[in-house]
Amino acid sequence: MRRPNIVFILADDMGFWTLGSEGNRDAVTPNLDNMTRNGCTAENFFCSSPVCSPARATLLTGRMPSMHGILDWILQGNMENEGEKPIEYLEEFKGYTDYLSEAGYVCGVSGKWHLGDSEKRQKGFSHWYVHQSGGGNYYDAPMIREGKRVREPGYVTELITQDAVRFLREREGKDEPFYLSVNFTAPHTPWIHNHPQKYLDLYRDCAFTSCPVEKRHPWQIDFSEFNHDRKEMLKGYFAATSALDFGVGEIREELRRLNLDRDTLILFSSDNGFNCGHHGIWGKGNGTSPFNMYDTSVKVPFIACMPGKIRPGIRLKGLYSAYDFFPTIMEIAGLAYKEKDIPGKSFAKAIFTGEEREINDCVVVYSEYGAVRMVRQREWKYIRRYPEGPDELYNLKTDPGEMLNMIDKAAPELIELLNKRLESWFSEYARPETDGRQANVTGAGQNKKHTASGFEPGSFQMGYETLPVRQA
């Protein structure tokens, strides 16, 4: 039996709250909303780290950042420039695309890579159209096409879409199954003066009631966009999201035109979440110092659509994570793997049937960013900051907006239980030489790969000093 084709569309800095199908009345996202109605949505899907490169590495390899060693967004090692050597950060790990390629899949990537050595085709990909670094201006983007550095005239969201469509057209009439990563840079900054007027016009009269106006969080870093006109920033963010949505529509239409839609599973998610004023923050996990783990930073959309195979309107209620993605893809493709350091479990059956494994308070997800780690149950979220805090505890049943830190009010036995669960899990799925607790991650970028004995000085860019602790 022929294996299914797979198209994985990944947004950049797109929170779960962004989509119209999730109740956002400001958003113009008809194509993603249509996928939601006609496919499966995981209502509680979480990234492994609230910043791009670590989160993307976990999706690809199935391992946590404290195992694969990408602990911050990659600043150096993307390209060879002025003495800077490229770094293949994931050289020692297999990604699911390696397995797909070995099984006969033709694998392509269009868009953001941001996992090091951008000029080198890696991880089983034969089609390689990637951003030279990880993002930047939406016009005249620096890309790698056919092994050469190019400046691509035009709007990068549309260029990524066009390249993805070309890849699909090249698969017409071919026998091999294919896998395609469509990695948009949207809706990441910059937002001001960076998007076509046709998308900005969608929000000309929008009040943006979906984005709260709150007092500036005391941990908010000096993020330049914070001081810009709020409405103009939001117009840019939402316009970038609508442009991405339009690209999703073009890709789906091309699959229908090629009569490939019923043989192709489309998956959609984001690398991490984002705050557009939520909690008084502009930014993601590193929008604050110390890093934050609010749901708006760590919870992301997850949609799966395959006509005739996935029943329309499935809404999964369980807790799922980016580290579940690797085993899920492997099961969908009918492939086995031998690695023992992959913590996730496949939820392929739930995607296709809506039948979830047992949902109870023992189902938990984890996330990390440097020395900050999170364990999240259905009722409780516990955030530990090594070595000395400040720690946080939220009752998500009574306080879903995470407004009241109960770390000093809850029973010590509860905190001890959650802390033991967190410590035990990471002791199994981290390793000493890449342990984020010891790495001095700042949120300002990663410069070097780990060594056998850990991270050398200068591995992480100097960042922001810790700001005063926010009171509950």
Side-chain angles (χ1 to χ4, degrees), residues 416-429:
E416 182 181 5
L417 175 65
L418 292 170
N419 190 58
K420 283 184 177 179
R421 176 168 280 173
L422 186 74
E423 295 271 3
S424 174
W425 197 85
F426 276 99
S427 70
E428 184 173 359
Y429 297 114

Side-chain angles (χ1 to χ4, degrees), residues 329-343:
I329 289 284
M330 295 294 282
E331 182 176 351
I332 288 169
L335 302 175
Y337 59 94
K338 297 180 180 180
E339 288 87 347
K340 303 298 183 185
D341 53 4
I342 292 177

Side-chain angles (χ1 to χ4, degrees), residues 322-454:
Y323 50 77
D324 295 323
F325 192 74
F326 179 106
T328 299
I329 289 284
M330 295 294 282
E331 182 176 351
I332 288 169
L335 302 175
Y337 59 94
K338 297 180 180 180
E339 288 87 347
K340 303 298 183 185
D341 53 4
I342 292 177
K345 295 180 175 62
S346 170
F347 63 109
K349 180 179 179 181
I351 290 172
F352 282 89
T353 67
E355 299 175 14
E356 299 183 78
R357 59 179 184 260
E358 185 179 4
I359 302 173
N360 53 44
D361 285 340
C362 291
V363 176
V364 297
V365 295
Y366 301 85
S367 188
E368 64 169 320
Y369 193 174
V372 183
R373 288 176 174 170
M374 175 200 85
V375 54
R376 189 194 191 282
Q377 301 180 168
R378 295 181 64 79
E379 181 174 3
W380 294 101
K381 176 191 280 191
Y382 172 63
I383 299 162
R384 174 83 187 272
R385 292 184 174 88
Y386 296 85
E388 297 179 347
D391 299 336
E392 294 173 89
L393 178 70
Y394 296 101
N395 185 323
L396 300 172
K397 283 190 175 179
T398 61
D399 179 27
E402 301 171 271
M403 303 302 292
L404 179 62
N405 182 5
M406 299 187 64
I407 197 68
D408 296 325
K409 302 177 179 65
E413 295 81 7
L414 172 63
I415 297 172
E416 182 181 5
L417 175 65
L418 292 170
N419 190 58
K420 283 184 177 179
R421 176 168 280 173
L422 186 74
E423 295 271 3
S424 174
W425 197 85
F426 276 99
S427 70
E428 184 173 359
Y429 297 114
R431 54 180 178 164
E433 62 268 34
T434 50
D435 192 322
R437 297 174 302 176
Q438 317 298 329
N440 296 317
V441 178
T442 67
Q446 184 164 345
N447 298 318
K448 298 179 183 179
K449 187 178 179 180
H450 69 278
T451 68
S453 58

Side-chain angles (χ1 to χ4, degrees), residues 451-464:
T451 68
S453 58
F455 289 96
E456 298 176 342
S459 292
F460 298 92
Q461 191 80 353
M462 293 295 291
Y464 308 94

